[in-house]
Amino acid sequence: MREELVNDRRRLAGESKYGFLGRLGAGIFDLIGMFWLVRRGGYGIAREWNDPRADQD
């Protein structure tokens, strides 16, 4: 393992408006959306694929 130096630059203007709480809120919102999608339906079956399960409408 080796250490590489990086060229860190200061922010040119302002501060980040997306801190810990913003990231936490976005993550929780995404999790709720995933739970909804998982509960909403099962696995999709592609119509173009020659799968015998596709005829089970």
Side-chain angles (χ1 to χ4, degrees):
M1 187 188 298
R2 70 181 200 192
E3 186 175 333
E4 292 282 332
L5 294 176
V6 294
N7 183 16
D8 286 335
R9 294 182 300 270
R10 295 190 68 128
R11 183 179 289 273
L12 294 177
E15 287 185 21
S16 173
K17 304 286 191 286
Y18 198 59
F20 174 75
L21 290 177
R23 290 176 192 261
L24 181 66
I28 290 173
F29 185 74
D30 286 343
L31 278 175
I32 292 170
M34 286 303 300
F35 285 134
W36 177 78
L37 283 172
V38 168
R39 285 192 56 178
R40 182 171 173 249
Y43 297 101
I45 298 174
R47 295 276 181 211
E48 5 353 289
W49 188 30
N50 245 350
D51 186 0
R53 296 176 299 168
D55 297 328
Q56 295 177 357
D57 288 328

